[in-house]
Amino acid sequence: MAAGGLRRRLVHLDLKGAPPRASYLAEVRQGGRRGLPGLPRPGLPPASPGPSLGRPLLGLPRPDLPRPYPLAAPQVLPLLRALGATGLLLEYEDTFPYAGPLAPLRAPHHYSPGEVRAVLSQARAQGLEVVPLVQAFGHMEFVLKHKEFAHLREVKVFPNALNPHKEESRALVKAMIDQVMALHEDLKWFHIGCDEVYYLGEGEESKQWLQQRNNTPEKLCLSHIKAVASCVASSYPAVTPIVWDDMLRGISEETLAESGVPQLVQPMIWDYTADLDVEDKVHLIEKYRRCGFSKVWFASAFKGATGVNQSLTLIGHHLKNHLQWLKVAGSSPADVLEGIALTGWQRYDHFSVLCELLPVAIPSLAVCLQALKNGGYSEKIKENVEKLLGMSNLETDTFMSTSLGTFPGSNILTLVTQVSFYLKSSVDDLLERNRYVTGWFSPYHRKRNIIHPIIMHHFQPDAVSLLSKWNAVVQDLQAAMEQVFHRCTIEEWMEENVHPSLQKLQQVVDDLDKAIKAQN
């Protein structure tokens, strides 16, 4: 079965969380490595002496990876092309090197202009079309959280949505788009976001506007989308704006048609569920066509759509999602389909925790891209994916095994799998289900340095050994992550996923030492 209208396959890089170093994506010749040799491990306990670290940890061998960890392949973009991607959807958010009055938007780890150019150059060399994404209405926390722009919020206390009534709001969006456009060449599309515009119509100016006859929240939404799209059309006539479609779905055909929006933008219909309703999507496409939209896009998900704090990617869920989208494509006129974006959300919004890291989800991305490229998924396609990733036994119905691949960052996947499956459970087993700890070294005993000398021998070696082994795994993971991510990402991931359990274990070992010294 041919993929038909899904010949354009954009891989979405959500850079508002865990943005990879530019050198992970592309070859950066100069100024690309703002390095962090010897990153300290805040709050990470020092390794304790214990038995040989080469022994299997809880049935999982610790991968024997060399230090420093070289990337198994030079960069990710050539791999994406080999897997079947035809382009990138780059959601920069606070990683773009905004300048002038927009400089406050930059995160400390933002890309330099040179790094952006290097990534775009490598994308061109690989034949990957680039579509930038700049939020222009909802999900503008990265802008509206700053005091310089807080007065442009729709609702004073919420930093998510832009006030569509202020001329300054449109000037802000135009300035952001202009700066991003200036670093990109020969664009055909530019994504202006506009999804999940929560609390629209609840600001004071909106309430006054809505009191006027025939004004509705739907018309307010459409008027702002039209203003932004018209700005793009007038300044960049060769570029077509794309918008997320969720704010449009419930609007009547008549209102949509009369707004003039369908002549200016292409909607991107998104649904990340494994059982998306094919018939419903076909009807939605027909509705958009009747309203005057010339083309539509789809948006699937290869990660970041199954849990706000998900650490491992369940490939089967995402594969089913893509197979459903193939059915939608097969039931729709090919001439109305522009392509599909495979989204890879890194945070649910600017303030939420990290979900699956990009290297962890590359097997899922590979499976989904190959399914789209080949119009389905089979044993033969699975074997091709395994070959491209250098992996054996690629599982789709369970979380990935700890087998090591050769794709960039595969060591991160292996180690994150160990941490996600076994760190908390192994520590809990020792501290909450070991009768010697719960019965003879409770919080009461620990506080008063009470320990029975005989009982101590029943669990101290286990605690010291477990701490030593986990420290070694975590140090391996940190070294692997330093190749791909900046300090802030590593600190955040460790604090969320490692430190709670490891610090509990370290505290018990420290309390044991104190109790033993008190006995002596």
Side-chain angles (χ1 to χ4, degrees), residues 166-286:
K166 291 187 182 294
E167 189 63 40
E168 196 180 342
S169 293
R170 286 189 285 278
L172 166 67
V173 169
K174 183 179 188 307
M176 290 165 62
I177 291 173
D178 285 345
Q179 289 200 20
V180 173
M181 285 280 195
L183 264 185
H184 294 72
E185 300 172 13
D186 304 323
L187 293 179
K188 291 182 183 174
W189 293 278
F190 194 102
H191 204 308
I192 57 173
C194 298
D195 62 319
E196 297 181 333
V197 190
Y198 300 133
Y199 309 106
L200 178 64
E202 296 184 23
E204 291 307 314
E205 288 175 78
S206 290
K207 288 176 181 175
Q208 293 174 20
W209 186 87
L210 290 170
Q211 287 173 358
Q212 298 170 33
R213 190 177 176 190
N214 294 329
N215 283 353
T216 63
E218 290 79 13
K219 289 182 179 178
L220 179 56
C221 179
L222 289 168
S223 68
H224 181 74
I225 293 174
K226 183 178 182 180
V228 175
S230 298
C231 171
V232 173
S234 61
S235 299
Y236 311 97
V239 179
T240 301
I242 299 171
V243 294
W244 299 115
D245 87 304
D246 55 287
M247 298 300 293
L248 309 177
R249 289 174 204 164
I251 301 178
S252 71
E253 290 184 31
E254 182 183 14
T255 303
L256 275 173
E258 289 176 354
S259 70
V261 166
Q263 286 70 45
L264 292 167
V265 305
Q266 293 177 352
M268 185 171 273
I269 304 169
W270 60 271
D271 191 325
Y272 311 142
T273 57
D275 59 350
L276 72 84
D277 188 327
V278 173
E279 189 178 347
D280 177 66
K281 293 294 179 289
V282 172
H283 289 157
L284 185 58
I285 293 165
E286 291 168 351

Side-chain angles (χ1 to χ4, degrees), residues 26-93:
E27 184 178 356
V28 181
R29 296 185 187 279
Q30 54 188 13
R33 305 279 303 205
R34 292 193 285 257
L36 38 78
L39 174 72
R41 298 191 300 283
L44 194 64
S48 300
S52 166
L53 299 181
R55 283 204 213 153
L57 169 66
L58 309 164
L60 280 175
R62 188 168 63 83
D64 189 18
L65 301 173
R67 282 195 179 98
Y69 297 85
L71 296 181
Q75 299 95 22
V76 166
L77 297 190
L79 174 64
L80 299 188
R81 182 68 200 190
L83 290 168
T86 68
L88 303 174
L89 178 61
L90 293 180
E91 184 163 358
Y92 290 105
E93 211 183 68

Side-chain angles (χ1 to χ4, degrees), residues 346-415:
Q346 194 53 76
R347 298 188 196 277
Y348 276 30
D349 68 41
H350 185 78
F351 291 107
S352 69
V353 298
L354 295 171
C355 37
E356 310 105 295
L357 299 170
L358 178 60
V360 169
I362 281 181
S364 175
L365 175 58
V367 166
C368 296
L369 275 171
Q370 282 284 292
L372 291 177
K373 182 178 180 181
N374 294 285
Y377 196 67
S378 65
E379 189 61 33
K380 184 178 179 183
I381 295 167
K382 173 179 178 284
E383 289 172 7
N384 192 45
V385 171
E386 289 173 345
K387 184 179 177 183
L388 286 164
L389 298 181
M391 300 188 78
S392 58
N393 192 28
L394 185 70
E395 292 290 337
T396 57
D397 295 326
T398 60
F399 287 109
M400 284 299 305
S401 71
T402 52
S403 63
L404 197 59
T406 58
F407 64 88
S410 60
N411 44 6
I412 293 175
L413 168 60
T414 302
L415 294 161

